[in-house]
Amino acid sequence: MKQQPAREQRLFDEDWHFYKGNISIPYAVKGGMTGGITDCGSHQEGEWLDIAFNDKGMEHQQLEWVSLGLPHDWCVEQQYVHDDLLGARDGSHGYLPGGTGFYRKTFEIPAEGLGRKWSIRFDGVSGVSTVWVNGHLIGEHRGGYIGFSYDLSDVLRYGAEGKNVILVKVDATEPEGWWYEGCGIYRHVWLEQTHLLHVGEYGTFITTPEVSREQAMVNVRTTLCNEGTQSETMELVTEIYDADGQAVGSAVDRVFAENYGEREQEQEIVVEQPKLWSTDTPYLYRAVSFVNLNGETVDRYETVFGIRIIRFDANEGFFLNGEPLLIKGTCNHQDFAGVGVALPDSLIEYKLKLLQEMGSNAYRSAHHPPTPALLAACDRIGMLVMDENRKLDSSPNGLSQLKRMLYRDRNHPSVIIWNLENEEVLEGTVMGARILKTLADTTRKIDPTRPVSAALNHGWNEGGYSEVVDIVGYNYGQRNNLDIRDHEQYPERVMIGSESASYTTTRGIYEDDPVRGYCSEYGTNVPSWGCSPERAWSDVAQNRFLTGVFLWTGFDYRGEPTPYRWPCINSHFGIMDTCGFPKDSYYYMQAVWTDEPMVHLFPHWTWNGAEGRVIEVRVFSNTETAELILNGRSLGEQQVNRTAHLSWDVGYEPGELIAVGKIGGKPVTRKVAVTAGQAAGIRLYPDRSRAVADGADTVPVRVAVVDGQGNIVPTADNEIRFEVEGAGILLGVGNGNPSSHEPDKATVRRAFNGWCLALVQASAEAGPVTVRAVSTGLASAEVVLQISKPSI
C-alpha cells in the first residue's frame, strides 16, 4: 500500500463546471438520497433510487455547464442594467445583478485514503452557499467574506468504490455590503487530508511575549485533535526555522490525547539574536509542528510568523519594535478591473505593490475579512493590516464568523488591529455597546496580543460605546475638528483615523462633467463628509495622537458611484482607478509618504484650441523648492510645503512644461508634460516579462496610446483589440473609466484618457505567450512574455 503523507493540502481550483441559474434540488429526508447532479452514481431501478435521483437536470433537461477554474466571479461577466427594480443590487453594487449559480467538480480519492480525515475548505463564497457531496447535503454557510470547511471523510468514495462529485450552490441574490461584492466561488478552495491524530484547523497560536535585540521568547500554543477511537500518548515536536531554513530553536513534549477529544499544549522556545519583522525588514520565521506516534510522524503542520512588538499610545500613536511609526494607510475592497472580486494571487500582490510604491505602509480590509492570500503577501512585503470583522453582530453566526477570522489570522505579523465594525447604526447606543463588548471580549480571549477597535462615523461619546474598545476609530473626524477636540476632552483615548478623504476624482479629467459622470482631479466635487487628501494627512502630520490614517480608498471600486449615479458604475474615491492607473492625488501621497526626491505636475499639457486660456498648474513635491518652466521660460520658483500643493496660473501655449524639484538650490528631479500630437501608435508596458506556468499567474499589461514621437496622448479613446497566442490567455480588460459599460471579459477595450489594461494569465504549460494590441489607424504593438515552470 502506498505510504500516505503526514499531511497533504491540495489546491482544489481546477476542473470545475459552472451553471448560471437555479436548479430545483429536493430536500434529502434520508442520507445520500438527493442524487441527480449532486452525485455521480448511476440511476438504477427501484423506488428509493427513483426518489434519490429525481432532481431536475440529470435526465429531464440538458444543463449547459461551462468548464472553468477558480477563483470565479460570474457577476462581472454580466451586462450592466439601469433598472431601479433590479432588486437588492442596484447602483451601490455597480448595476450588475446578483443571482444563483452552481459549481460541480468530479474527483477521485485513492483506496489508501480510507481511514484518514478528509476536509474541504473554501476561502470565500459569495452570499449563501450549499454543499452536497455524493448525494449528501453537507452544509449551508451564510456569509461571503470568511472561509468555512467541512469534514468529508464519511461520504467520500475510495478507490474502486467509484468517483466523487461535489456540488456547490451559490445564492448571491441578497447583498451583505453596499459595494460590489461579486457572485461565485471567488477565493481558493483546498482539499486536505490528515491522520486522525493531527494539529487542529488553524491550530497554532504563536506569540512573542518577550523580545529584545539579543533574544526572543516564542510562545507556541498547539491544539491537538484525536479523532480516533483510542486515546493516545504522542510526542509534539516544534522546530523554528529562519528565512534561510536554518533551525534556530525547538521544543519537545509528551502529550496524552483522549479519543474523540482535543487539547492545547503550550511550549516556549528561545530564539537568539532574532531578526525583527518590520515594514522595512519583513523578516519571517517558520514553525513546524511534528506529531509523532510510536516513532512515526503522523502530522506535520507549518506556521509562518514574525517576531515583533507593537504598542499604541494615546499621545504618541503607534510604535513598532519600540520605534514610532505613522500609519500611512488606505481602505480597500477586493475587486479589480477585468476580474471583479475573483483576483488571482498575483493581482493581489500587484495591487499591494502599487500601494507600497506610493509610500503606503498599511492596508485596511474594508469592510470584511480579507482573503488569506492578501495577509500572506502583506507579511512578505511589510504592509501593516487593520483586519476587519464584517459587522456588529453577536448572534451565533456573527460570533462564528468573528472567531474564524481570529483563529485564521492571528499568526500574521502584518495584522496589528482587529477592527470589529464599521459605521453601524447602533454606534453610540447602549445596545450597540453591549454587542460591541461581546465582540471585544471574544476577541481578547482568542487573541490578547492585539488591540480591538471600531470605526465610527457618529456616537463617539455616547452610550459608553467607545469605552469597550482599545482604539477608537474616527471616520472623517476632520468634520468640525471633532477628533482633535475629542483628544482634549478624552486625553487617555487611543485614536486612529480609520477612514478619511473620500476625494472624488476621475483620472485625467479636469472639469466636473455630470452628464458623463466625471469629477475633476482638482477636487472641486468632494462629498460633504469628505475632505482632500491634503487635509486628511496634514491633520495626522500635525497631531501624532491621531496615530495615522486610512484613506478612502486606495483604488476605485465597482459600485457606490458618488456623486453621480448612472452612467457611473463605480466609485471615484480611489487614489488609483480600477486598473491601478494613478490619479494625480497618488503623487501627493508619494510626496508626503516617501523621501526619494520627486515632483509631479498636472494637468496634462494637450489642450488643442485653448491657446491663451489660463490654466491652473499644480505641483506636488517633497523637495525644498520647485520651479515651473514653460518652453524654456521660468514661470517662478516656490518653496515646497510637503503637506500642500503649489499653484501657478499659466496661459496655455503648446510645447513643453517642466516642473523641477530642487534641494540646496540644485535640481534633483523633474517632471515633463508635453503637448501630444495625433494618436499614431500603441505601446505595451507589462508589469513583468516572466510568469509562472501554474494556470493562475497573471501579468497586468498597461496599454498606452502614443503620438508619432512616443508621447502619451492624454485624451485618446481609441478602441484596442487584443490578440494573445501561446502559453497564456486574455483573462480580462479594463480602462478605469467609471462610466464605461464595456464588458471586462472581452478582447476589445476602448482607451480612457490614453490608457487601458490587459490581464494576461499564464497557462499550466511553459512557453512564450505573445500579446498583440491593434487599433484602426494606429501602429500595432507586440510583447512576448516567458512562461516558465515553477522552481522546486
Side-chain angles (χ1 to χ4, degrees):
M1 182 178 289
K2 180 182 177 182
Q3 180 69 35
Q4 292 293 298
R7 176 186 290 259
E8 184 178 51
Q9 181 174 267
R10 169 181 159 197
L11 187 60
F12 215 48
D13 286 352
E14 296 181 352
D15 301 322
W16 288 79
H17 294 83
F18 172 69
Y19 172 78
K20 184 178 179 297
N22 201 6
I23 304 171
S24 176
I25 299 177
Y27 181 72
V29 295
K30 293 186 178 182
M33 293 282 285
T34 305
I37 62 169
T38 68
D39 196 1
C40 57
S42 61
H43 186 183
Q44 303 176 34
E45 295 297 325
E47 181 180 0
W48 75 270
L49 289 166
D50 286 338
I51 295 173
F53 280 84
N54 73 350
D55 55 302
K56 295 179 182 178
M58 187 69 175
E59 305 239 351
H60 304 295
Q61 68 182 82
Q62 293 296 316
L63 302 179
E64 295 183 3
W65 294 85
V66 178
S67 299
L68 50 75
L70 305 178
H72 177 238
D73 175 6
W74 85 74
C75 192
V76 74
E77 300 169 357
Q78 300 183 106
Q79 293 183 341
Y80 297 100
V81 181
H82 184 206
D83 184 356
D84 293 335
L85 301 178
L86 187 60
R89 294 193 166 194
D90 53 8
S92 67
H93 286 79
Y95 295 103
L96 288 172
T100 301
F102 283 78
Y103 294 83
R104 193 173 189 269
K105 178 181 174 75
T106 302
F107 60 102
E108 296 183 74
I109 300 294
E112 54 268 26
L114 181 63
R116 295 178 65 79
K117 178 182 173 67
W118 291 83
S119 301
I120 190 165
R121 186 177 78 242
F122 296 85
D123 284 347
V125 181
S126 301
V128 181
S129 63
T130 310
V131 176
W132 294 263
V133 174
N134 294 336
H136 296 262
L137 178 60
I138 300 301
E140 181 179 277
H141 181 266
R142 183 175 296 272
Y145 292 109
I146 194 64
F148 55 96
S149 61
Y150 297 117
D151 184 347
L152 306 183
S153 307
D154 289 348
V155 300
L156 292 177
R157 298 186 177 108
Y158 300 88
E161 293 179 35
K163 293 183 178 180
N164 300 277
V165 68
I166 181 169
L167 180 74
V168 183
K169 176 183 179 180
V170 180
D171 184 349
T173 306
E174 296 295 328
E176 290 184 74
W178 51 94
W179 54 87
Y180 177 83
E181 298 180 284
C183 306
I185 306 178
Y186 73 102
R187 292 178 178 173
H188 293 307
V189 180
W190 307 86
L191 184 69
E192 185 174 67
Q193 61 158 313
T194 66
H195 192 276
L196 296 182
L197 190 62
H198 59 272
V199 177
E201 185 182 34
Y202 309 127
T204 56
F205 183 31
I206 300 179
T207 59
T208 52
E210 299 177 21
V211 177
S212 69
R213 298 290 174 179
E214 290 71 37
Q215 68 175 27
M217 178 65 71
V218 179
N219 182 279
V220 184
R221 288 160 50 188
T222 306
T223 299
L224 298 164
C225 299
N226 182 1
E227 300 189 48
T229 58
Q230 295 182 348
S231 299
E232 302 284 4
T233 299
M234 72 188 83
E235 182 182 65
L236 174 63
V237 180
T238 301
E239 297 179 350
I240 296 179
Y241 297 87
D242 64 15
D244 297 322
Q246 299 297 312
V248 295
S250 64
V252 181
D253 284 300
R254 298 283 290 178
V255 183
F256 178 77
E258 292 187 359
N259 60 313
Y260 297 117
E262 66 178 44
R263 63 165 297 173
E264 184 178 81
Q265 185 69 19
E266 185 173 3
Q267 297 173 308
E268 289 190 339
I269 303 171
V270 174
V271 174
E272 302 291 348
Q273 304 296 316
K275 295 181 174 64
L276 304 188
W277 187 95
S278 71
T279 54
D280 294 326
T281 57
Y283 194 90
L284 296 173
Y285 289 87
R286 183 168 49 95
V288 183
S289 307
F290 299 92
V291 179
N292 300 327
L293 181 65
N294 301 323
E296 176 188 357
T297 297
V298 297
D299 193 19
R300 183 182 187 277
Y301 185 89
E302 291 195 8
T303 307
V304 175
F305 71 100
I307 298 175
R308 53 104 175 107
I309 306 171
I310 62 173
R311 179 171 67 88
F312 289 84
D313 183 86
N315 291 307
E316 298 298 324
F318 176 64
F319 289 78
L320 179 61
N321 300 323
E323 299 294 328
L325 181 66
L326 281 173
I327 291 176
K328 307 168 182 177
T330 61
C331 303
N332 298 281
H333 292 311
Q334 180 176 322
D335 75 323
F336 197 67
V339 292
V341 295
L343 275 70
D345 293 354
S346 52
L347 276 188
I348 292 172
E349 296 201 33
Y350 177 68
K351 292 181 67 176
L352 290 172
K353 183 190 77 168
L354 296 178
L355 291 171
Q356 203 168 47
E357 288 174 351
M358 182 178 70
S360 177
N361 63 14
Y363 184 104
R364 179 184 173 199
S365 182
H367 303 289
H368 52 76
T371 181
L374 182 136
L375 294 181
C378 289
D379 290 345
R380 290 192 299 269
I381 70 172
M383 180 74 75
L384 305 171
V385 176
M386 176 186 278
D387 205 343
E388 189 153 331
N389 182 46
R390 173 60 202 95
K391 63 178 179 177
L392 186 70
D393 182 5
S394 60
S395 71
N397 186 57
L399 286 174
S400 174
Q401 294 195 39
L402 171 63
K403 290 176 182 178
R404 193 164 183 87
M405 178 188 78
L406 298 170
Y407 286 123
R408 187 194 71 173
D409 299 347
R410 62 183 180 174
N411 289 317
H412 289 282
S414 56
V415 176
I416 59 169
I417 299 173
W418 300 117
N419 193 56
L420 301 181
E421 64 93 347
N422 176 78
E423 297 187 357
E424 294 281 357
V425 294
L426 292 180
E427 289 172 351
T429 68
V430 292
M431 180 183 290
R434 288 197 298 268
I435 298 173
L436 184 62
K437 185 177 187 301
T438 296
L439 301 182
D441 291 345
T442 300
T443 302
R444 294 184 185 108
K445 180 178 175 62
I446 293 173
D447 176 22
T449 71
R450 296 175 178 88
V452 297
S453 70
L456 286 70
N457 70 344
H458 67 282
W460 289 274
N461 306 319
E462 290 83 42
Y465 201 85
S466 293
E467 279 67 48
V468 301
V469 291
D470 306 310
I471 300 176
V472 180
Y474 280 75
N475 286 9
Y476 310 101
Q478 88 285 340
R479 291 170 291 173
N480 299 315
N481 291 317
L482 177 68
D483 47 9
I484 295 173
R485 289 190 290 109
D486 274 4
H487 176 69
E488 296 173 355
Q489 187 173 355
Y490 305 96
E492 301 304 314
R493 178 181 292 175
V494 180
M495 307 167 67
I496 192 167
S498 45
E499 186 174 316
S500 190
S502 279
Y503 193 61
T504 52
T505 59
T506 308
R507 176 181 58 80
I509 297 295
Y510 297 97
E511 186 174 350
D512 291 334
D513 188 340
V515 175
R516 293 190 297 173
Y518 299 153
C519 298
S520 169
E521 292 227 55
Y522 287 117
T524 53
N525 202 332
V526 180
S528 59
W529 68 86
C531 66
S532 69
E534 296 177 30
R535 168 67 191 276
W537 181 249
S538 295
D539 284 355
V540 173
Q542 297 166 15
N543 301 281
R544 286 198 66 93
F545 59 81
L546 293 178
T547 303
V549 70
F550 290 91
L551 298 174
W552 191 263
T553 52
F555 300 83
D556 281 346
Y557 55 91
R558 298 173 187 274
E560 215 170 15
T562 306
Y564 310 118
R565 303 288 283 181
W566 186 270
C568 290
I569 47 85
N570 69 246
S571 78
H572 297 72
F573 297 118
I575 302 170
M576 290 172 273
D577 67 18
T578 54
C579 295
F581 294 124
K583 302 180 187 179
D584 291 310
S585 57
Y586 178 98
Y587 300 100
Y588 170 75
M589 305 320 306
Q590 198 171 67
V592 294
W593 283 356
T594 69
D595 293 324
E596 181 72 21
M598 59 78 61
V599 66
H600 173 75
L601 69 84
F602 67 97
H604 61 75
W605 208 241
T606 302
W607 301 94
N608 297 330
E611 286 76 7
R613 171 182 154 194
V614 175
I615 295 176
E616 181 190 5
V617 176
R618 293 184 181 180
V619 169
F620 298 133
S621 182
N622 58 9
T623 58
E624 293 175 354
T625 64
E627 182 181 14
L628 194 66
I629 301 171
L630 175 60
N631 293 329
R633 306 189 312 275
S634 176
L635 302 182
E637 185 172 340
Q638 298 185 35
Q639 290 290 128
V640 169
N641 175 0
R642 282 181 69 171
T643 60
H645 66 269
L646 305 179
S647 178
W648 285 261
D649 289 333
V650 181
Y652 176 70
E653 62 182 63
E656 183 179 70
L657 185 66
I658 305 173
V660 180
K662 299 180 181 181
I663 296 178
K666 297 181 179 180
V668 292
T669 184
R670 59 170 16 206
K671 182 67 176 286
V672 180
V674 299
T675 303
Q678 289 187 338
I682 303 170
R683 292 281 175 88
L684 300 180
Y685 302 94
D687 178 59
R688 48 198 162 93
S689 61
R690 309 187 71 85
V692 177
D694 60 0
D697 196 9
T698 301
V699 178
V701 180
R702 294 188 172 195
V703 183
V705 178
V706 298
D707 67 10
Q709 286 69 50
N711 301 309
I712 307 295
V713 181
T715 57
D717 64 351
N718 306 70
E719 185 177 82
I720 313 294
R721 186 174 77 253
F722 299 100
E723 301 168 358
V724 176
E725 299 175 351
I729 63 168
L730 182 65
L731 181 63
V733 294
N735 62 11
N737 182 350
S739 298
S740 174
H741 300 161
E742 299 170 276
D744 282 37
K745 299 295 184 180
T747 58
V748 297
R749 189 70 171 203
R750 189 171 294 279
F752 178 61
N753 291 332
W755 293 93
C756 62
L757 183 74
L759 301 176
V760 179
Q761 188 170 61
S763 70
E765 300 298 326
V769 56
T770 302
V771 183
R772 188 177 300 109
V774 299
S775 180
T776 302
L778 302 182
S780 62
E782 181 177 297
V783 66
V784 178
L785 308 177
Q786 295 300 322
I787 312 301
S788 306
K789 283 292 184 181
S791 57
I792 300 176

